[in-house]
Amino acid sequence: MNTRAHTLRNTFFSSVGLYTEYVLGMLTSIIIARHLGPDEYGAYSLVIWLVAVGVATTNSGTASAAIKFVAELRGSGNLEMIPTLLDYLRRAQRLFLLFVLLAGAAVFLFAGDHVAPGMNHLMLMGFLVVSVALRASYMFNIGVAKGFENFRATAIVSLVSTPINLGLVIAAWFFDASVEWLLAVFVVSGLVFYAVSLRQIRPLIPARVPGTRIPDALMGRVRRHMGWTTLTVSVGFLAASEVEVLFLTLYADSHDAGQFKVAYQLAIGAATLVPGVFGALLLPMMANALSRGREVAGRRFVASTGYLALLAMPLMAFGAVFSDAVIHLLYGDAYLAAGPVFAVCLAGAAITTMTQGGSSLLVSADRQRSILMLVIGSALLKVLLDAVLIMHFGLDGAIVAYGLVALINASAMMALSIRVSRAMPDWLRMLRIALAAAVAALVALPLRGQLLPWAQIVFGGLLLGAAYVALTMLLGCWSRGDIEHLQQLYQRFVPGKPRMGTRLLEWAHDRAPGEGAP
């Protein structure tokens, strides 16, 4: 199986898992948001955000180490070391979990009335203990599966667990459950995700060979990776997560926190479903490429950045035109203030996703220290901007803070990736892609506000998408290798009919630049 076919196979399974998890997960969050309303949903979201902080810290160095070093051991043929490596990573994970639980206890003991006013803090502490442990273990298992590049296993976890979670939430909604009962549902769903993921990875792990040990040089690299990544992920979570929910709760009110939460979650889901499907494959791919030479990894960085731009730009254009219609359709009149927030968050999430090729390259090249410095700077900037702007401007301040930090962080990540790889992205190609997206947005703009929300989304999306595809073909945004693969798929699934499609692909192939592959 060649590189392109292998990548597409993994993309398919990754797509199935991500689409199932995020589509059904988004439906779940919509049901909860509509059921609770902006005020209670803001309070609920803050508690869930605290769990996310705990999971990110617990898995900070272990999940990415599982992806990176399992992929490396497979590439070098040292499969017998994998069980020993995973034992070490799980022990480290338990130590991180202990730290998280102690920190959580301190938060509820000294600041519980500010963080979660009106709620049972003892119950919340118990919820934190169980939820973080289950979700962290589940995410670690997913990291192991990705290290084996077995995206079929990750897809099965989503296909089985996410519908169960949705069913539990629908039952809670039917019985008019309170916030506390919805938190209980969150715990049960965490148990389901953990159990299914554990079952999927067990057959992947090689049989244990007694006496196997990891060489000191490799173990030193594992420890360095975990040390830098722990700091990077723990601090970086502030830069990458919806910490605005915390500041809105403290300085504005839970109503604004609920508005921001629905917009942010919808934007992250959309960005993950479109460009993120490909981006999710990049860390094991980049680690494998780097083992064959920095030049190979540099070419893959350039190509993957171009592919991510092709997928991300139309998403940004759609959000800029139809964000209000999307929020109105999914969440109702109570969340209309989230429309502009969604447009900015979607743009920020898409821009961040476009840098995943660079970030995967940096992690694979053991440049955790450089990443840490960048992440610390972004986190400090975000906390500072959130504190100042939200205190004075509320929800509008949160929009500005999020957008600025996303743009600055993405620019810095790309600059660092270029310096390390000594490979320059095709900026002219990316400029042509941006031009195609902007013109496609202008083509669809007359439909904004002129139709019912669902009609704006359906017909506006189709018009924008058709215009974007035509413009990218016209402006030469696809490589010749890409067009050849599209021609093969077209012949396979629709045997060359209609002829107009065949002629369009032939024309695009003739004017396309040379080969490019991720």
Side-chain angles (χ1 to χ4, degrees):
M1 185 181 295
N2 60 36
T3 300
R4 188 187 299 275
H6 182 69
T7 299
L8 287 172
R9 180 177 180 274
N10 280 342
T11 302
F12 169 75
F13 285 120
S14 179
S15 301
V16 170
L18 283 172
Y19 272 71
T20 301
E21 182 173 352
Y22 277 90
V23 170
L24 296 186
M26 189 57 60
L27 179 57
T28 300
S29 70
I30 291 171
I31 292 173
I32 295 174
R34 281 181 169 268
H35 171 61
L36 295 178
D39 289 325
E40 286 192 313
Y41 187 64
Y44 172 85
S45 299
L46 181 57
V47 175
I48 299 302
W49 180 79
L50 291 174
V51 173
V53 172
V55 172
T57 305
T58 300
N59 273 357
S60 51
T62 56
S64 64
I67 298 174
K68 172 179 168 58
F69 291 105
V70 167
E72 282 193 14
L73 291 174
R74 287 174 52 244
S76 62
N78 295 311
L79 298 179
E80 73 282 355
M81 296 183 187
I82 292 178
T84 305
L85 170 69
L86 296 180
D87 289 343
Y88 174 79
L89 294 178
R90 287 193 177 99
R91 288 195 300 270
Q93 185 191 50
R94 288 193 286 270
L95 289 176
F96 290 140
L97 177 60
L98 177 61
F99 168 78
V100 167
L101 298 181
L102 292 175
V107 168
F108 287 118
L109 179 62
F110 296 108
D113 291 334
H114 298 286
V115 174
M119 301 186 74
N120 186 320
H121 299 153
L122 183 61
M123 182 206 72
L124 286 179
M125 186 59 208
F127 167 79
L128 183 70
V129 170
V130 178
S131 296
V132 171
L134 290 174
R135 298 275 169 170
S137 298
Y138 149 65
M139 292 305 300
F140 180 84
N141 292 341
I142 293 298
V144 173
K146 289 181 178 179
F148 282 99
E149 294 189 67
N150 192 322
F151 291 90
R152 179 177 178 273
T154 65
I156 291 175
V157 173
S158 297
L159 287 169
V160 174
S161 306
T162 312
I164 295 175
N165 182 41
L166 176 60
L168 291 171
V169 169
I170 291 175
W173 169 58
F174 180 78
F175 288 105
D176 195 24
S178 64
V179 172
E180 288 77 12
W181 277 106
L182 286 170
L183 293 177
V185 167
F186 187 84
V187 171
V188 174
S189 68
L191 179 60
V192 172
F193 275 98
Y194 168 68
V196 176
S197 64
L198 183 62
R199 181 179 178 86
Q200 288 302 310
I201 68 165
R202 277 178 174 168
L204 303 178
I205 301 174
R208 189 179 301 276
V209 178
T212 300
R213 62 182 299 273
I214 299 177
D216 293 338
L218 177 58
M219 184 56 71
R221 290 182 57 222
V222 172
R223 292 193 180 101
R224 284 194 300 274
H225 172 91
M226 288 180 57
W228 288 116
T229 306
T230 297
L231 292 172
T232 302
V233 173
S234 300
V235 177
F237 189 82
L238 295 177
S241 72
E242 66 276 33
V243 69
E244 289 81 4
V245 171
L246 174 62
F247 285 101
L248 286 167
T249 302
L250 295 176
Y251 295 138
D253 53 43
S254 58
H255 181 276
D256 284 349
Q259 301 284 350
F260 189 92
K261 175 63 178 181
V262 298
Y264 174 87
Q265 187 167 351
L266 186 60
I268 294 300
T272 301
L273 293 178
V274 183
V277 166
F278 179 72
L281 309 175
L282 290 176
L283 181 53
M285 285 174 56
M286 204 64 74
N288 186 280
L290 201 60
S291 67
R292 291 183 283 151
R294 190 171 296 272
E295 185 178 348
V296 175
R299 290 198 303 268
R300 187 160 291 182
F301 157 63
V302 172
S304 61
T305 301
Y307 283 123
L308 289 170
L310 270 171
L311 294 170
M313 292 291 187
L315 190 67
M316 296 167 62
F318 179 84
V321 179
F322 298 113
S323 60
D324 289 340
V326 172
I327 293 295
H328 185 271
L329 177 66
L330 295 180
Y331 293 97
D333 293 340
Y335 290 93
L336 287 179
V341 188
F342 175 55
V344 174
C345 287
L346 186 58
I351 290 172
T352 300
T353 303
M354 287 166 55
T355 68
Q356 285 185 346
S359 61
S360 297
L361 172 68
L362 294 173
V363 171
S364 299
D366 291 328
R367 298 303 294 262
Q368 282 80 9
R369 181 177 180 180
S370 299
I371 297 174
L372 177 61
M373 296 300 103
L374 190 156
V375 167
I376 289 176
S378 296
L380 292 175
L381 178 63
K382 186 169 190 177
V383 170
L384 177 62
L385 288 177
D386 280 340
V388 173
L389 295 179
I390 291 175
M391 182 184 297
H392 290 90
F393 303 105
L395 188 59
D396 292 336
I399 297 174
V400 174
Y402 179 86
L404 281 176
V405 172
L407 184 60
I408 293 170
N409 184 62
S411 300
M413 182 66 74
M414 287 300 295
L416 182 58
S417 303
I418 291 169
R419 191 179 72 181
V420 170
S421 67
R422 300 186 182 91
M424 185 68 67
D426 189 344
W427 295 116
L428 287 177
R429 180 192 182 197
M430 295 181 71
L431 183 61
R432 294 195 299 270
I433 294 170
L435 177 61
V439 175
L442 291 175
V443 170
L445 186 61
L447 296 182
R448 179 179 180 178
Q450 301 303 312
L451 303 171
L452 293 173
W454 70 267
Q456 292 182 55
I457 295 170
V458 173
F459 296 116
L462 289 174
L463 180 60
L464 190 151
Y468 178 74
V469 170
L471 286 164
T472 53
M473 295 284 186
L474 178 66
L475 296 174
C477 300
W478 300 84
S479 73
R480 189 161 296 170
D482 300 330
I483 302 299
E484 289 174 355
H485 195 75
L486 289 175
Q487 288 175 317
Q488 294 172 10
L489 293 176
Y490 193 74
Q491 291 293 334
R492 177 179 178 182
F493 292 108
V494 288
K497 298 179 181 179
R499 288 290 302 169
M500 182 178 69
T502 301
R503 288 195 294 269
L504 175 63
L505 289 173
E506 289 174 350
W507 174 82
H509 180 272
D510 291 339
R511 60 178 288 113
E515 175 66 25

